[in-house]
């Protein structure tokens, strides 16, 4: 039987509706019965006691807002009667924190089939990377993309070109009436099994990935340095075997800067980096040489074969986007439990999106045992918040219209649920944008909440898989790191099966516990990491890449 309401934490004075509750309904939780005068939509919350202006509203055991209007017991909280408020935080406010790691005996001997690199890390994919040092080279990168992907079998399906071709044929034959009466094209079934992927000449090369961006020159030197660190991180990512780099030659970000940064981040890196500078000759000569030498490198990396690797070699990004009122109840805590399991096995996980830790800061500080790292976390949060406020914005403006419509009324509500992705473990390290992930366990990485800027940053810091929870449906992917889309509710999974990879809705339905769902996901991830199947984002060619220009992006 599906429960209709849920109180998340004993200290909360709000209750979540798990399904639509009509006006004048009475609902009971424990010994308390609540009359709902106006009804409560699924994912929204009603107060358990009268609130007057200025009174705090508590959810997940923390302050998530203060009433701006009188709110009667049983009434729903809205943007009209509640404003964002979060608790003060600091090292001096630390609470004692204890943590019991989950039993991972079931997973100790499990392995995945990965690509072993010379520096000791293991990739879940084997990619060659083509990148520009400056936006002037974007067209040349896209020229190489067209040539390599079409000829080597990495191009996306032509199903949409086929649709346009059919429409053009009908138009040219004067059949406008047929076009107007046509039903939507029937979607082709997109297969995710490796055996059904197209035959390619390089069976062990999962793809050639072509990045473009709008940076490298014309901005601040700091922006170019940040881009340099990010691109070096992509080259160092264990899913990447090597890179072809295109340079104009006169830009801020010089090729030798990139090569030095690759070595600085990873002194043990032995990856080949091919650099081509356009101002050294004609464009034709540049592209012709790049094609030939890149092709020769593809022959070499095709010799690398998947070999067994322990689960401790997984480095998993934890992300949410298009969040809803169920995110903090189902998918986020499920991947939080998975994070705890990976950490207990010696693997690494990374929680990003610092604007979505607003309100959960003290919990994170309690879990950072190293004072210097705690201070770093506080400094990153305060600096970021100050930048937003200086531009006339702030973390409190983070929830999107879609978030609010689906029950995430304040940033603190959204953040308290988003923080559940980090599980319960102690924090091993705190990283600024583009810093490499080195410590086993849970790492905090400063990125925006913006979906693509955050996933771009996690891959640049070394994630070889990314888990992405969503309540509304988000088609985000990444060029070098498989992005797994996890629905917070089964309705979404059924509505967008071509986007969603895994469903955490059974938690809401009462069919699975958070722990059961998280471990079922981990079991599925082993096959994904081994290349047995692809994510929907990989099938769709969703290769999103947006570097963060340091400044205001929430």
């Amino acid at each position: 039987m599906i429960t209709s309401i849920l109180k998340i934490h004993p200290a909360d004075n709000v209750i979540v509706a798990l399904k639509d509750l009509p006006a004048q309904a009475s609902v009971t939780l424990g010994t308390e019965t609540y009359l709902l005068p106006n009804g409560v939509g699924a994912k929204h919350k009603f107060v358990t006691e009268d609130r007057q202006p200025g009174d705090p509203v508590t959810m997940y055991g923390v302050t998530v807002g203060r009433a701006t209007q009188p709110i009667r017991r049983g009434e729903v909280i809205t943007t009209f009667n509640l404003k964002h408020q979060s608790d003060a935080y600091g090292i001096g406010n630390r609470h004692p924190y204890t943590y019991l790691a989950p039993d991972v005996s079931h997973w100790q001997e499990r392995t995945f089939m990965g690509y072993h690199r010379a520096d000791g890390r293991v990739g879940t994919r084997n990619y060659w990377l083509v990148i520009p040092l400056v936006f002037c080279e974007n067209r040349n990168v896209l020229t190489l993309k067209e040539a390599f992907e079409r000829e080597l079998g990495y191009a996306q399906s032509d199903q949409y070109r086929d649709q346009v071709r059919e429409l053009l044929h009908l138009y040219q034959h004067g059949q406008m009436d047929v076009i107007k009466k046509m039903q939507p094209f029937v979607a082709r079934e997109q297969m995710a099994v490796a055996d059904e992927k197209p035959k390619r000449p390089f069976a062990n090369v999962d793809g050639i990935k072509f990045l473009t961006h709008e940076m490298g020159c014309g901005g601040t030197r700091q922006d170019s340095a940040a881009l340099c660190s990010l691109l070096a991180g992509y080259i160092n990512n264990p899913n990447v075997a090597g890179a072809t780099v295109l340079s104009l030659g006169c830009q801020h970000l010089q090729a030798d800067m990139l090569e030095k940064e690759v070595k600085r981040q990873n002194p043990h890196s032995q990856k080949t980096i091919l650099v081509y500078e356009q101002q050294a000759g004609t464009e034709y000569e540049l592209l012709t040489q790049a094609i030939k030498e890149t092709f020769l490198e593809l022959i070499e990396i095709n010799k690398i074969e998947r070999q067994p690797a322990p689960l401790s070699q997984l480095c998993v990004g934890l992300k949410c986007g298009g969040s809803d009122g169920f995110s903090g109840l189902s998918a986020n805590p499920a991947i939080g439990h998975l994070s705890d399991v990976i950490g207990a096995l010696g693997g690494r996980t990374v929680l990003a999106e610092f604007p979505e830790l607003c309100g959960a800061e003290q919990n994170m500080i309690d879990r950072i045992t190293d004072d210097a790292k705690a201070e770093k976390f506080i400094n990153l949060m305060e600096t970021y918040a100050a930048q937003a406020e200086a531009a006339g914005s702030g973390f409190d403006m983070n929830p999107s219209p879609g978030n609010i419509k689906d029950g995430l009324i304040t940033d603190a509500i959204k953040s308290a649920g988003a923080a559940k992705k980090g599980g319960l473990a102690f924090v091993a390290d705190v990283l600024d944008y583009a810093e490499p992930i080195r410590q086993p366990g849970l790492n905090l990485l400063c990125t925006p909440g913006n979906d693509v800027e955050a996933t771009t940053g996690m891959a640049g810091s070394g994630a070889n898989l990314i888990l992405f929870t969503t309540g509304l449906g988000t088609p985000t992917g990444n060029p070098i790191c498989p992005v797994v889309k996890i629905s917070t509710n089964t309705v979404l999974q059924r509505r967008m099966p071509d986007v969603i990879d895994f469903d955490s809705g059974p938690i809401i339905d009462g069919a699975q516990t958070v722990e059961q769902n998280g471990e079922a996901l981990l079991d599925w991830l082993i096959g994904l990491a081994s290349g047995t199947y692809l994510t929907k984002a990989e099938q769709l060619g969703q290769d999103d890449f947006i570097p963060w220009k340091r400044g205001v992006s929430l």
Side-chain angles (χ1 to χ4, degrees):
M1 179 178 178
I2 300 176
T3 304
S4 62
I5 58 176
L6 174 68
K7 187 176 183 180
I8 300 172
H9 189 279
D12 290 355
N13 56 20
V14 294
I15 287 176
V16 185
L18 300 182
K19 62 181 182 180
D20 291 340
L21 303 173
Q24 300 304 315
S26 291
V27 291
T28 300
L29 187 65
T31 61
E32 296 286 337
T33 298
Y34 303 94
L35 175 66
L36 310 179
N38 303 311
V40 184
K43 308 178 186 180
H44 287 265
K45 298 92 184 167
F46 63 88
V47 295
T48 63
E49 57 192 11
D50 290 349
R51 299 280 82 190
Q52 297 301 319
D55 286 347
V57 170
T58 302
M59 186 176 174
Y60 296 100
V62 299
T63 301
V64 295
R66 289 193 180 274
T68 60
Q69 308 290 328
I71 314 173
R72 292 180 297 162
R73 175 185 166 102
E75 285 187 334
V76 67
I77 56 173
T78 68
T79 54
F80 173 72
N81 60 28
L82 189 72
K83 69 175 181 180
H84 169 83
Q85 180 72 44
S86 59
D87 294 323
Y89 61 88
I91 291 180
N93 296 341
R94 268 200 182 123
H95 304 92
Y97 189 83
T98 58
Y99 167 65
L100 180 63
D103 179 7
V104 294
S105 56
H106 172 73
W107 305 99
Q108 290 284 7
E109 304 303 320
R110 296 289 299 274
T111 61
F112 70 97
M113 299 295 288
Y115 295 101
H116 293 248
R117 305 301 182 192
D119 62 2
R121 294 187 295 171
V122 180
T124 63
R125 297 292 185 267
N126 191 29
Y127 290 130
W128 187 266
L129 197 58
V130 179
I131 56 177
L133 291 184
V134 62
F135 56 82
C136 306
E137 290 299 321
N138 283 348
R139 186 180 65 83
N140 285 336
V141 170
L142 295 177
T143 298
L144 294 178
K145 175 182 173 72
E146 175 71 15
F148 276 106
E149 288 190 343
R150 289 288 172 193
E151 294 304 315
L152 299 183
Y154 297 108
Q156 290 299 301
S157 164
D158 284 338
Q159 60 177 320
Y160 298 114
R161 293 177 63 189
D162 293 344
Q163 292 177 21
V164 174
R165 187 180 299 114
E166 182 176 348
L167 292 169
L168 178 61
H169 174 79
L170 292 170
Y171 167 72
Q172 290 174 333
H173 289 78
Q175 296 181 283
M176 288 295 297
D177 56 331
V178 176
I179 293 176
K180 292 177 179 178
K181 294 177 182 177
M182 285 179 70
Q183 296 298 313
F185 288 92
V186 177
R188 295 178 182 175
E189 183 67 25
Q190 291 187 309
M191 307 307 293
V193 181
D195 290 344
E196 298 179 24
K197 289 189 292 189
K199 299 296 183 184
R200 295 167 177 162
F202 299 124
N204 295 323
V205 180
D206 293 298
I208 312 169
K209 295 299 180 176
F210 301 83
L211 307 186
T212 58
H213 57 81
E214 306 303 319
M215 298 175 66
C217 195
T220 67
R221 297 298 176 97
Q222 291 86 347
D223 284 342
S224 291
L227 177 65
C228 182
S229 295
L230 181 68
L231 295 180
Y234 268 63
I235 294 171
N236 278 323
N237 188 290
N239 290 354
V240 172
T244 297
V245 178
L246 301 188
S247 169
L248 180 59
C250 58
Q251 70 279 347
H252 288 329
L253 177 48
Q254 292 287 300
D256 63 340
M257 291 170 57
L258 178 66
E259 292 170 331
K260 289 176 182 176
E261 180 63 13
V262 168
K263 283 295 186 181
R264 187 194 71 80
Q265 289 185 11
N266 185 3
H268 304 292
S269 177
Q270 297 181 24
K271 295 179 181 179
T272 299
I273 303 175
L274 306 175
V275 178
Y276 304 95
E277 189 166 291
Q278 186 167 356
Q279 290 178 340
T282 67
E283 184 174 287
Y284 177 82
E285 291 170 337
L286 170 99
L287 294 178
T288 298
Q289 186 180 8
I291 287 171
K292 183 188 78 169
E293 295 183 357
T294 299
F295 188 85
L296 291 173
E297 290 300 327
L298 295 177
I299 294 173
E300 290 303 309
I301 71 169
N302 189 51
K303 297 174 183 177
I304 307 171
E305 296 184 350
R306 290 182 181 269
Q307 301 292 335
L311 300 189
S312 59
Q313 286 290 348
L314 293 178
C315 183
V316 182
L318 310 169
K319 174 75 178 82
C320 59
S323 300
D324 72 347
F326 286 160
S327 294
L329 310 181
S330 60
N332 287 355
I335 69 172
H337 175 68
L338 182 149
S339 174
D340 289 342
V341 171
I342 293 292
L345 290 168
R348 292 164 291 157
T349 61
V350 55
L351 178 64
E353 305 180 276
F354 273 27
E356 298 191 9
L357 293 179
C358 175
E361 297 99 335
Q362 191 59 52
N363 175 261
M364 293 299 166
I365 293 167
D366 293 345
R367 295 160 59 181
I368 305 172
T369 57
D370 183 306
D371 282 355
K373 292 177 181 178
E375 289 285 5
K376 182 177 181 180
F377 171 70
I378 292 170
N379 181 61
L380 288 169
M381 287 293 294
E382 290 180 345
T383 301
Y384 197 163
Q387 289 174 332
E389 290 167 7
S393 187
F395 287 170
D396 60 308
M397 297 182 181
N398 189 26
S400 69
N403 295 151
I404 294 168
K405 180 182 177 182
D406 268 50
L408 301 178
I409 303 303
T410 70
D411 187 52
I413 292 176
K414 183 180 180 183
S415 295
K420 296 297 179 183
K421 301 190 303 291
L424 301 172
F426 287 101
V427 174
D429 207 356
V430 177
L431 307 171
D432 200 355
Y433 186 72
E435 281 192 88
I437 303 164
R438 305 186 191 280
Q439 297 298 322
L442 176 65
N443 295 258
L444 303 182
L445 174 67
C446 184
T447 76
N450 176 291
D451 292 344
V452 179
E453 288 174 331
T455 51
T456 296
M458 287 190 285
S461 287
N464 56 14
L465 291 172
I466 293 174
L467 304 182
F468 190 117
T469 70
T470 181
L472 305 177
T474 304
T476 301
N478 182 266
I480 65 168
C481 189
V483 178
V484 181
K485 231 58 63 52
I486 304 158
S487 59
T488 70
N489 60 90
T490 302
V491 171
L492 172 63
Q493 191 275 332
R494 291 172 179 165
R495 189 173 72 245
M496 301 180 72
D498 57 341
V499 169
I500 300 301
D501 298 292
F502 189 88
D503 183 24
S504 288
I507 297 172
I508 300 297
D509 298 339
Q512 286 183 326
T513 66
V514 164
E515 293 77 16
Q516 288 170 337
N517 190 262
E519 296 199 22
L521 174 59
L522 178 54
D523 195 55
W524 184 84
L525 279 185
I526 293 172
L528 177 70
S530 300
T532 306
Y533 32 79
L534 305 176
T535 65
K536 299 297 174 60
E538 288 178 292
Q539 295 174 45
L540 293 170
Q542 195 78 33
D543 289 346
D544 299 318
F545 178 80
I546 302 179
W548 181 26
K549 268 192 170 184
R550 203 60 180 248
V552 180
S553 179
L554 299 177

